[in-house]
Amino acid sequence: MTPLPGWTDELARTRLHFVTGKGGTGKTTLAASLGLALARGGRRVLLVEVEGRQGFAQVFDTEPLPYAEQRIASAPGGGEVRALHIDVEAALLEYFEMFYNLGFAGRTLRRMGAIEFATTLAPGLRDVLLTGKIKECVGRTDSDGRHVYDAVVVDAPPTGRVVKFLDVTKALTDVAKTGPIRGQAEGVVRLLHSGETAVHLVTLLEEMPVRETLDAVAELDGADLRPGAVLVNRVRPPRLPARSLSPAADGNVDETRVRAGLTSAGLDLPDSTVEALVAETVEHAIGIAAEQRSSEQLTEADLPTLRLSDLPGGVDVAGLYELADALVDQGVRL
């Protein structure tokens, strides 16, 4: 199966982007880079995190984020990226005040520990508070009726939990028959199951992340949630010609030819060093061959696929912009 192209016109019309992936694949980094890419050309994008890890503060090297939307970066062309760390307790107090006019009572409930009790008694309440706040950010308009944010990008829970996180509001509508909770939940359900929302999956070219990605795509399809693009992170360029890759992966590297090549380049290395170089060549070929097999397996997802190169020096703020450039080069836009 031929891999699908990168960003599609359908994705360009999406306003709410969830980014998920197996732990350790770099989903927070790519969520941040996606936000920077979407903000190009004067757009305003909000990054949202829901897991309490302060991941965006770490990748942008800033102070921990409060429960408030604040500017965290700029993008070429006058774009702006803001970030929001959603605190569940603060979201619940905000919810009480907004829908029940219980601002003072809500603060009293917090002192009594009733908020922890409520979210423990009704575990789905936590996720509806988080997704409800996200919905409010997506739908917010200014005095001219224009959306405050051109796009919202959420660093979502890992693939193993993302469907439960996104689909929990359906269950809540069955429990809450009337009132603001039901109305809030129904609005969230409509948004998450609409064409305005997409769930992107971050993976590495390794067996376990790829398998978990494919399983997550099937789960999303089963829950009527729209998978977006597969973001393949930390892709290594092959250092060997294509014709040499398969033999090298089988351990067939001509040490004599390697030595001759080194000598012609003016390098007279001891036998132990040459042997180590040969062993490293074989190891590299085995790794690249495995990545190619994983890449072929990913085509089963039948989704647009974007590839991000490995950054040897690690990811700092400059690296985020480099990854954003790579996403734009592959068509990411609004």
Side-chain angles (χ1 to χ4, degrees):
M1 185 182 296
T2 303
L4 292 175
W7 213 246
T8 62
D9 290 342
E10 186 179 36
L11 290 176
R13 293 190 292 271
T14 299
R15 295 192 57 247
L16 176 55
H17 303 262
F18 289 93
V19 180
T20 184
K22 180 177 170 60
T25 57
K27 70 181 179 69
T28 301
T29 296
L30 292 196
S33 299
L34 178 60
L36 287 169
L38 293 173
R40 291 286 179 94
R43 308 288 188 176
R44 178 181 288 173
V45 174
L46 178 67
L47 297 174
V48 178
E49 60 182 359
V50 296
E51 294 189 283
R53 297 184 296 105
Q54 290 288 348
F56 287 136
Q58 293 177 39
V59 297
F60 282 102
D61 193 25
T62 66
E63 294 296 318
L65 297 171
Y67 182 51
E69 295 153 39
Q70 65 179 37
R71 188 178 183 278
I72 199 170
S74 59
E80 179 183 66
V81 177
R82 295 184 180 182
L84 170 65
H85 172 82
I86 301 182
D87 175 82
V88 176
E89 183 176 272
L92 183 54
L93 292 176
E94 183 179 66
Y95 185 86
F96 282 154
E97 188 164 1
M98 184 181 301
F99 292 106
Y100 295 101
N101 296 317
L102 293 177
F104 176 77
R107 290 189 290 274
T108 302
L109 287 171
R110 178 173 57 185
R111 289 196 296 271
M112 294 171 57
I115 292 174
E116 182 179 353
F117 173 77
T119 54
T120 301
L121 188 65
L125 181 59
R126 178 184 184 278
D127 289 341
V128 80
L129 289 169
L130 296 171
T131 52
K133 179 61 178 178
I134 292 167
K135 171 185 171 293
E136 186 272 322
C137 294
V138 172
R140 193 187 309 154
T141 56
D142 60 20
S143 58
D144 295 324
R146 294 175 299 194
H147 285 114
V148 172
Y149 294 109
D150 297 291
V152 174
V153 179
V154 183
D155 182 12
T159 45
R161 294 193 288 111
V162 71
V163 171
K164 183 180 179 183
F165 171 72
L166 294 175
D167 212 33
V168 71
T169 47
K170 267 190 173 178
L172 193 57
T173 57
D174 294 334
V175 176
K177 302 302 181 185
T178 60
I181 291 180
R182 181 182 176 88
Q184 173 81 338
E186 287 180 338
V188 172
V189 169
R190 284 194 297 270
L191 173 62
L192 298 186
H193 293 265
S194 75
E196 286 194 277
T197 301
V199 184
H200 308 295
L201 301 108
V202 179
T203 188
L204 306 178
L205 291 178
E206 298 173 3
E207 182 178 354
M208 288 300 293
V210 166
R211 175 42 52 196
E212 195 160 315
T213 296
L214 295 175
D215 290 345
V217 170
E219 277 194 80
L220 289 165
D221 285 336
D224 194 29
L225 293 160
R226 181 163 67 105
V230 175
L231 307 177
V232 185
N233 198 17
R234 302 176 197 156
V235 177
R236 297 184 301 165
R239 305 295 183 184
L240 295 170
R243 65 179 184 278
S244 303
L245 186 62
S246 182
D250 291 333
N252 298 321
V253 178
D254 190 334
E255 186 175 322
T256 302
R257 289 186 62 188
V258 172
R259 186 182 299 278
L262 291 168
T263 301
S264 66
L267 297 172
D268 186 15
L269 302 178
D271 291 345
S272 59
T273 303
V274 175
E275 290 169 2
L277 287 172
V278 170
E280 189 172 336
T281 300
V282 172
E283 182 180 350
H284 172 76
I286 291 171
I288 293 297
E291 290 181 5
Q292 289 179 347
R293 290 192 295 272
S294 293
S295 184
E296 291 169 4
Q297 191 178 7
L298 270 179
T299 61
E300 295 176 21
D302 197 28
L303 292 174
T305 301
L306 291 78
R307 300 166 71 88
L308 289 307
S309 297
D310 187 28
L311 300 180
V315 180
D316 54 12
V317 175
L320 294 178
Y321 282 89
E322 187 175 338
L323 292 171
D325 287 343
L327 290 171
V328 171
D329 289 344
Q330 294 175 78
V332 170
R333 65 197 183 282
L334 285 174

